[in-house]
Amino acid sequence: MRTAGRAGFVARGVVYVLIGVLAIEIAFGKGGAEADRQGALRQVAAQPFGLVMLWILVVGFACMTLWRASLAVFGEGGQKKTGSRILSAGRAVFYASVCWGTAAYAAGSGGQSGSNAKSQDWTASALKLPGGQVLVAIAGVVLCGVGVGVAVSAIRRKFLKKLDTAAMGARARKVVTALGIGGNTARGTVFAGAGVFVVIAAIRFDPDQAKGMDATLRSFAHTPAGPWLLVLIALGLLLFGAFSFASARWRKL
């Protein structure tokens, strides 16, 4: 399970680094690919031995799923807190879906919708349900809360508790701390931004207002700060990818 967890963090790091690169290209008007997981998979597929690399990512996400599931069953760090185990179970389900989507992409050579279409489809389906408008609004608020929580935890450096900092040198600890703060803050900001758009979709009863990661990132370029805010967030996602690699090395598993 320890090996599986480390492999999963590497796979996550690869995807976030590619998303960060795509977002930077969008900021400077040099890229048309979607800056989300689907866009990252397309970038991998376009490389030499791309299909092989895609299946390696499938294995990595499968490993992450197994590791998260083991935490849900046995607890993390010997602690069997119910809340932590439920959170691990939710993450296991999420990575199972990521694994399945990556495998489907590798097996079918693409064709799946990006994050924007998926977000709008989910919102449209939810709005049709009884009380759907309230349900979508709650989902948006929860997503905003998760994003803010991730960013605040990053600023408070809570991620260090899950890392074996004793095994790091002084310089390595400083670098990993910077990666964790910058990377997790950017990731939380993206989550919170996506949540805001879901809330707007609920208020206006318009699923087209919901945005996935790609459209959320592009929206940062239309703020008063211009494309430079998108560049800053994109660099943060690159840092989160690097932090994932550091987690593969120093995470307490």
Side-chain angles (χ1 to χ4, degrees), residues 15-25 234-235 237-238:
V15 170
Y16 268 95
V17 165
L18 290 174
I19 291 174
V21 170
L22 290 171
I24 289 175
E25 290 180 349
L235 290 175
L237 294 179
L238 284 172

